[in-house]
């Protein structure tokens, strides 16, 4: 007999406080992750290219986010032994598997930004 607990343990359950899916969802849901992965979905990029394309991201946040993505197996960092050293970032297979849902999320935000802005304005005026 399979219990709910054993199913949750096998699949993970982000509603359980110590489930390892929670930090993964935090990483995936981070705004910088969505933007970095969107760029890397078009191919490899160097750190300076990512920083130039993502307005508002600091060097520190870009470094931290890339390290987190690499640690989670979503991004691959390749160092080329040249002078000066060249480092490129690319999506792994796991990272590429996230592109479709992240693209859908990004498209949803673009399509609904005006509705959300109107709702925020109405809420702020009422409160």
């Amino acid at each position: 007999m399979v219990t709910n607990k054993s199913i949750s343990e096998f699949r993970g359950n982000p509603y359980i406080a110590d489930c390892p899916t929670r930090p993964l969802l935090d990483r995936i849901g981070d705004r910088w992750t969505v933007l970095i992965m969107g760029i890397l979905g078009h191919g490899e990029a160097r750190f300076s290219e990512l920083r130039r394309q993502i307005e508002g991201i600091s060097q520190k946040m870009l470094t931290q986010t890339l390290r987190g993505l690499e640690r989670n197996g979503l991004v691959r960092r390749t160092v080329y032994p040249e002078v000066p050293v060249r480092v490129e970032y690319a999506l792994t297979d796991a990272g590429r598997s996230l592109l479709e849902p992240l693209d859908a999320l990004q498209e949803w935000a673009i399509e609904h930004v005006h509705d959300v802005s109107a709702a925020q304005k109405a809420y702020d005026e009422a409160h």
Side-chain angles (χ1 to χ4, degrees), residues 70-111:
E70 184 180 7
R71 182 173 183 261
N72 287 305
L74 302 174
V75 166
R76 180 185 69 251
R77 180 179 184 263
T78 304
V79 180
Y80 296 92
E82 302 172 351
V83 178
V85 173
R86 179 172 51 107
V87 178
E88 292 186 343
Y89 297 90
L91 295 178
T92 62
D93 289 341
R96 280 190 294 280
S97 74
L98 267 175
L99 286 177
E100 187 175 340
L102 290 179
D103 286 346
L105 182 62
Q106 187 173 335
E107 282 303 312
W108 184 93
I110 291 167
E111 287 178 27

Side-chain angles (χ1 to χ4, degrees), residues 31-50:
R31 70 175 164 167
W32 301 123
T33 292
V34 172
L35 299 174
I36 290 168
M37 292 190 64
I39 291 170
L40 293 178
H42 298 287
E44 293 183 345
R46 296 177 77 167
F47 185 93
S48 58
E49 294 174 80
L50 292 167

Side-chain angles (χ1 to χ4, degrees), residues 17-80:
D18 62 350
C19 181
T21 59
R22 280 200 182 179
L24 183 56
L25 286 172
D26 287 343
R27 168 60 55 212
I28 294 167
D30 177 73
R31 70 175 164 167
W32 301 123
T33 292
V34 172
L35 299 174
I36 290 168
M37 292 190 64
I39 291 170
L40 293 178
H42 298 287
E44 293 183 345
R46 296 177 77 167
F47 185 93
S48 58
E49 294 174 80
L50 292 167
R51 185 141 186 239
R52 187 173 47 253
Q53 290 185 51
I54 304 171
E55 292 184 11
I57 193 168
S58 68
Q59 181 171 336
K60 179 182 176 183
M61 280 309 304
L62 181 54
T63 299
Q64 286 178 351
T65 305
L66 285 167
R67 284 183 184 158
L69 291 168
E70 184 180 7
R71 182 173 183 261
N72 287 305
L74 302 174
V75 166
R76 180 185 69 251
R77 180 179 184 263
T78 304
V79 180
Y80 296 92

